[in-house]
Amino acid sequence: MVSSDPRRRETATPSPSASSPDRRPTDPTAAIATFAGPSPILEAIAGRFALPREPPIRLRRTAKLTQGHPFGPDLDRWLGLFEAYEMEAADPGETELMPPPWATNLRGIIEPSGPARIGSALGFFSAASVVVQQDDMSYLASWASTPRQASKVYYFHPDDWGLWPTDGSLTARLFRIVQEEDRPGFADIRYRGEEEAKLLAALNVFEDTTRGDPLPPHLDPSRLFARANWVVHALLGVGRAWSVDLAHAATLEQFDEERRLLAAWPHLATYWMWSHYLLGNRDDLEAVLGTTGGMTSPVVVESRAVIGELLDGHRVKLGDRDRYGFEALQTELQDLAPRAALTRQAQRRVDHRRDTEAQHQQAQQQAWAALETAGAREPLVKEALLLLEHLGQGGAMAPQEAPLHGGLSVDAAMDRMAELMEPRFRPLILARLEASLQHADTHREAGWGLILAWSALAEDLDEFDDVLDHFGRRALGTRRQRELYRAYGRFDDPRATRILAQGAEAWLREVDDWIRMAPSEPLLQLLRRDTLETHSLIAQLLENAAFSPANWDECVAAAVAAGELGSRRAIPGLRRAVTAQLGRVDDGGRAKVIRALVLADPEALPFLRDRYEDRLRAWKAAAGEDLQERQRDLACLMVGLLPLAPTDPHVLATAKTLLSRMRRQLTPARTPRLDLLAAATAVIEGIRDGQVTGLKRAVEAFVDVKFKETSSTAPLGRALRGLARSVAGEL
């Protein structure tokens, strides 16, 4: 396939030149000169398929400055091809050619998708770079060159895990690519006839002669690859069984041998940084962090920053893991790592953890056996044990519904288990709680509901906190922090209120963030208390939140609480929420916000009347789907307007018209929208709260309403009919 682009060199019938040797190499020296060192063949092959870059760019000097170390001569010449030619766009033989990723940072290695992802990560820690990608096959070239100035080339495939030698130099790899016979579309760029025979003979002699050429041990991919696997597995979440990958982890003896090289080579610095962090070798980690402070490699710089944040307990997200994920991973890896990779202090910590876990296990078994005997006679004890077993498996994924009382959600199951706690459960709960607090939320030992159960058993807040402080709270992540705040919500103690208020303020600082570190549970618990802190936080939230889906549920809950508490302090925020139409119609949230305003502000009629006039005009001017939406908006407003203006003929006429139209839309042949049912419910609730006797017949029309029901509409239908029956009876 010959391109018509005038920039492409003619390659169909090359003339004898530097790109076409005029003699057959008959000795190793000539063969080596053809495929290694400053051989013109590398650029000659590139010129057969790649367009010259206009103008050329400078990569090599920038790469050296950014990478923080030099590439060997062969890889340096390869990078030079990308300066002079559009190699990345050439695609010879449907092959992607790549320069070494010299500007890559840590996340650039871990987080990209694509077939080269795993090979690139393994390559970095093995002192090699992916330079050729063919489907899922990655070809990696060593950063260093042999004494004959050749990079060794290896291949990696996820289905054939390993780093397998394939070519003696980059020139050899590129020559093989262009000579592949199964690419008929690229026949024009291949060498043919005598010229091909000369180069093939030279290639065979070259690779036979140089196969044993060494690379420096600290830059030898074949030596470094095996030990790199477990670190890449930890960072990418991709690899073989931990027992297989960790078996080849580098030892502390190797660390001592390589310590003097760390400041010059980013792959070594990064490996030992993550190895010491993950395996708990704290003193050695501090030594590496001190040694690498002046390095410019983006991978090293970002690794230092991320590990520093992890050590300080800050919010971190790297790949698929957050701080708690890394802490859980540390425990798992330290239990499986070879002793030779752990310092004596790390070994002692692992041994202590294992001994402690064994003691916990024995204590739990004894306590469980005693309760199991009691459960054979006492149904409530048996139920508590069933819930404890169901919730006992920790992890990031919530347990399924508990198979009791028709199915209990995880929150309901935890609440029920706390209700069933009595003094005989104390030894078992304490043993399990102590064991679970040694692990991050994502660990299998970090069961659900144990903190809440302990709050039910503790004599008071002092004992509750003392036990948690003694066992340690460091491992608590977002999931169990939420449970901890629920536990504080069980204590009628001013100190618990202050703790909830502090937690709520932390959540409030992230109120509009989609991804938060602070749970909303302290706010939700505080809303159940009539305290100054509650009224103040409700006002702050409703006056400042953006009312986005990120905080919608919490804002509606705060508005409802303001109404139930009759919070005068919250009135400006409630008016803002009503104006912004906070809450969804279909789940009743919008109507709840409007009703809350009426409960908190009996003088809200002028404000609501202004909203009413605006929405009435919008309803009358609307058509089609917009008409239905305006109808639902107006219906929600009735839940607040009717109690404040129960005799206003204009308002009553609007309410009657709304109910009549919505009733006609509910037919046995159609499944109604959820927001239609919720809107009708809002109007009838307004009639109930305002005791509007003149609308009794309009309400009675819903007592026996029928429509096509689904699993989602059936509960709302039952509630609507029950409400209509009750209100009609009262009126």
Side-chain angles (χ1 to χ4, degrees), residues 313-366:
H314 293 163
R315 178 178 178 176
V316 173
K317 186 77 164 93
L318 183 66
D320 293 331
R321 299 189 198 277
D322 59 10
R323 173 166 64 93
Y324 308 108
F326 275 108
E327 289 175 358
L329 182 62
Q330 281 181 305
T331 301
E332 184 176 6
L333 294 178
Q334 290 165 24
D335 285 341
L336 295 171
R339 304 285 282 188
L342 302 174
T343 62
R344 290 182 179 178
Q345 293 89 339
Q347 290 177 22
R348 284 196 290 268
R349 285 194 298 271
V350 171
D351 293 341
H352 176 71
R353 183 167 59 242
R354 289 173 178 168
D355 292 343
T356 302
E357 288 178 355
Q359 294 169 9
H360 291 159
Q361 191 66 30
Q362 184 178 10
Q364 289 181 44
Q365 289 171 354
Q366 292 172 349

Side-chain angles (χ1 to χ4, degrees), residues 7 31 45 51 67 76 84 97 131 161 174 190 216 231 239 275 324 331 334 357 432 436 441 451 486 510 552 571 718:
R7 295 182 296 163
I45 297 172
L51 299 174
Q67 186 80 0
D76 185 70
L97 305 178
V131 291
W161 202 279
L174 198 58
R190 296 192 187 101
V231 172
S275 177
Y324 308 108
T331 301
Q334 290 165 24
E357 288 178 355
R432 288 203 168 190
S436 73
D441 286 7
I451 298 173
R486 290 178 65 191
E510 302 177 353
W552 220 326
I571 289 174
R718 288 192 296 270

Side-chain angles (χ1 to χ4, degrees), residues 32-43 46 60 71-85 87 100 145-146 148-151 169-171 174:
I32 291 168
T34 302
F35 283 96
S39 167
I41 291 295
L42 181 64
E43 184 169 355
R60 283 180 282 191
F71 290 121
D74 203 9
L75 201 54
D76 185 70
R77 285 190 291 271
W78 178 265
L79 193 56
L81 293 181
F82 287 82
E83 293 182 330
Y85 297 93
M87 298 285 286
S145 290
T146 66
R148 305 178 205 268
Q149 297 190 17
S151 282
S169 70
L170 283 163
T171 304
L174 198 58

Side-chain angles (χ1 to χ4, degrees), residues 431-489:
R432 288 203 168 190
L433 181 63
E434 183 177 8
S436 73
L437 289 176
Q438 311 313 308
H439 304 285
D441 286 7
T442 52
H443 196 275
R444 62 184 179 275
E445 296 293 334
W448 299 67
L450 293 170
I451 298 173
L452 204 58
W454 169 234
S455 71
L457 290 166
E459 292 183 3
D460 52 27
L461 182 61
D462 286 327
E463 186 185 31
F464 175 78
D465 272 337
D466 286 346
V467 166
L468 288 181
D469 290 340
H470 176 68
F471 291 165
R473 308 184 190 216
R474 180 177 176 276
L476 294 179
T478 303
R479 190 252 295 175
R480 285 187 296 176
Q481 284 285 354
R482 177 175 175 267
E483 184 182 333
L484 177 61
Y485 284 119
R486 290 178 65 191
Y488 281 124

Side-chain angles (χ1 to χ4, degrees), residues 455-599:
S455 71
L457 290 166
E459 292 183 3
D460 52 27
L461 182 61
D462 286 327
E463 186 185 31
F464 175 78
D465 272 337
D466 286 346
V467 166
L468 288 181
D469 290 340
H470 176 68
F471 291 165
R473 308 184 190 216
R474 180 177 176 276
L476 294 179
T478 303
R479 190 252 295 175
R480 285 187 296 176
Q481 284 285 354
R482 177 175 175 267
E483 184 182 333
L484 177 61
Y485 284 119
R486 290 178 65 191
Y488 281 124
R490 297 177 62 90
F491 291 98
D492 186 13
D493 187 305
R495 292 172 297 171
T497 300
R498 287 195 294 273
I499 290 169
L500 294 174
Q502 291 169 358
E505 288 169 356
W507 179 86
L508 200 60
R509 288 191 288 271
E510 302 177 353
V511 62
D512 294 321
D513 294 348
W514 280 96
I515 300 176
R516 305 188 190 97
M517 294 301 291
S520 62
E521 193 64 35
L523 171 71
L524 301 177
Q525 293 296 325
L526 195 65
L527 295 179
R528 302 179 180 182
R529 301 177 180 224
D530 191 356
T531 68
L532 291 175
E533 292 94 338
T534 306
H535 291 262
S536 175
L537 280 164
I538 289 174
Q540 289 182 60
L541 176 58
L542 296 180
E543 290 175 18
N544 296 292
F547 298 151
S548 70
N551 56 44
W552 220 326
D553 291 340
E554 290 84 0
C555 290
V556 170
V560 171
E564 293 173 347
L565 297 172
S567 179
R568 304 286 296 176
R569 174 71 179 81
I571 289 174
L574 285 168
R575 291 192 174 197
R576 175 175 177 261
V578 170
T579 301
Q581 295 186 299
L582 170 64
R584 289 165 34 201
V585 175
D586 59 2
D587 65 359
R590 190 172 301 176
K592 290 177 182 177
V593 172
I594 296 169
R595 188 168 184 268
L597 173 62
V598 174
L599 292 174

